[in-house]
Amino acid sequence: MKEIRLANKIITKLVKDHVHYPDRLIADTFSMLARCGVLLVLYWYVFRLNGGVVNGVTFVVTAWSIFFYFSFSTLRLRDVSRSIMHDVQTGSVEVLFNKPISYLLYRFWWQIGFGLYSFLVVTIFGVLILYFLIGVPESMTLTLFLPTYLVTLIGASFLSLILYGIVGLLAFWIEDVNPVFWMVDKAVMILGGSYLAVALFPKFLYQAALYSPFGASLFVTHTVYDSWQSNWYILLAWQFFWIVFLGTVMHFLFVRAQKKVSINGG
């Protein structure tokens, strides 16, 4: 119950702040228009040159897949690694460790609350714009789509926080985690389907996107494909596996980090 109350307070406070001071929303909206909008225009032109279909996939399906990537990115869950690194570098992590709350849960809920308002607003408006401009693929009209999308979205959020949380915890040993962050982040961008839709990947890259934690952290981009109807449970199982496995790794690192702080006089 204590954790639930903490999560509610953090998220409520941050959402209210962003409603009254919409600077982050404006920045995220312009970022979405600048990157996703331009990219979709380029894809539209390429698909038009190829008769409307590339590798058996239509432009509408590809556009929604890429949009889901950029929509998810507005949650800014990746920033949790740098928040942890900042706490370690400034020494504030020692104070937070002594609080009667879980440090990682605090950081995770803070990160969710920080990006939630922008995510909801940008996603809702983006969905409406795409719906009226290009329509929706048939796969999104099926009863299966919405519940599996929501489950995948929750799983992707957990996995992203765990993955970037592990990167952040490395700051207890290497202090500056930016090089590791860049490698992990680029792997997530590539295998998550940021600038090249997953359905257009060559076979070896497609397999990596399916079975690696980097691709699994963005399975929301798979939900619009026709193949989702037959393999959604397999992908969700892989996503759950990586959450459990990497969650165990993160717990091990966190315990070691606590001991390290205690030994050094924290």
Side-chain angles (χ1 to χ4, degrees):
M1 291 298 294
K2 181 172 65 175
E3 288 77 9
I4 296 176
R5 289 196 297 270
L6 172 66
N8 182 61
K9 288 180 180 179
I10 292 173
I11 292 175
T12 301
K13 181 179 184 301
L14 288 171
V15 169
K16 286 182 177 179
D17 284 347
H18 289 161
V19 170
H20 292 295
Y21 305 99
D23 294 351
R24 177 58 60 189
L25 174 62
I26 295 172
D28 287 336
T29 302
F30 275 102
S31 176
M32 172 77 79
L33 291 175
R35 295 187 296 161
C36 185
V38 172
L39 186 63
L40 291 185
V41 170
L42 292 174
Y43 265 97
W44 171 80
Y45 184 71
V46 171
F47 272 83
R48 183 183 177 187
L49 292 178
N50 287 272
V53 178
V54 176
N55 201 27
V57 182
T58 64
F59 168 71
V60 175
V61 171
T62 303
W64 279 97
S65 176
I66 293 174
F67 167 72
F68 283 151
Y69 169 86
F70 283 99
S71 167
F72 183 77
S73 69
T74 58
L75 271 171
R76 295 183 174 272
L77 301 180
R78 61 207 286 265
D79 291 348
V80 72
S81 60
R82 285 172 170 163
S83 296
I84 295 174
M85 179 180 70
H86 179 265
D87 289 342
V88 174
Q89 291 176 341
T90 59
S92 58
V93 69
E94 297 177 11
V95 177
L96 293 171
F97 271 6
N98 293 323
K99 299 294 183 182
I101 58 173
S102 169
Y103 170 73
L104 285 178
L105 283 180
Y106 163 74
R107 269 288 156 226
F108 286 176
W109 286 122
W110 193 94
Q111 202 61 53
I112 291 172
F114 184 80
L116 185 60
Y117 179 64
S118 292
F119 169 74
L120 292 175
V121 174
V122 170
T123 299
I124 291 171
F125 277 98
V127 166
L128 291 174
I129 291 172
L130 281 183
Y131 174 77
F132 287 110
L133 288 180
I134 64 174
V136 296
E138 184 178 348
S139 59
M140 289 180 61
T141 64
L142 300 176
T143 306
L144 176 71
F145 171 75
L146 186 57
T148 55
Y149 171 80
L150 293 176
V151 172
T152 309
L153 177 64
I154 294 172
S157 300
F158 275 116
L159 185 53
S160 294
L161 287 169
I162 291 171
L163 187 61
Y164 287 105
I166 290 173
V167 175
L169 288 174
L170 293 178
F172 285 94
W173 290 272
I174 61 176
E175 191 170 348
D176 185 2
V177 301
N178 280 318
V180 181
F181 171 82
W182 292 329
M183 289 187 290
V184 170
D185 197 48
K186 292 301 180 284
V188 171
M189 287 179 62
I190 293 170
L191 298 178
S194 56
Y195 296 104
L196 180 64
V198 176
L200 305 180
F201 284 178
K203 186 175 181 179
F204 78 94
L205 200 58
Y206 182 73
Q207 294 298 316
L210 289 181
Y211 303 119
S212 71
F214 311 111
S217 65
L218 277 162
F219 274 167
V220 288
T221 62
H222 292 247
T223 56
V224 297
Y225 299 120
D226 292 335
S227 59
W228 181 254
Q229 301 170 41
S230 58
N231 67 2
W232 64 270
Y233 56 92
I234 298 175
L235 298 186
L236 287 182
W238 271 107
Q239 193 176 65
F240 180 74
F241 165 78
W242 284 118
I243 289 174
V244 173
F245 178 77
L246 293 180
T248 303
V249 173
M250 183 183 68
H251 176 72
F252 172 77
L253 288 175
F254 183 61
V255 171
R256 293 291 300 273
Q258 285 179 309
K259 291 181 179 179
K260 186 177 179 67
V261 170
S262 177
I263 291 172
N264 291 336

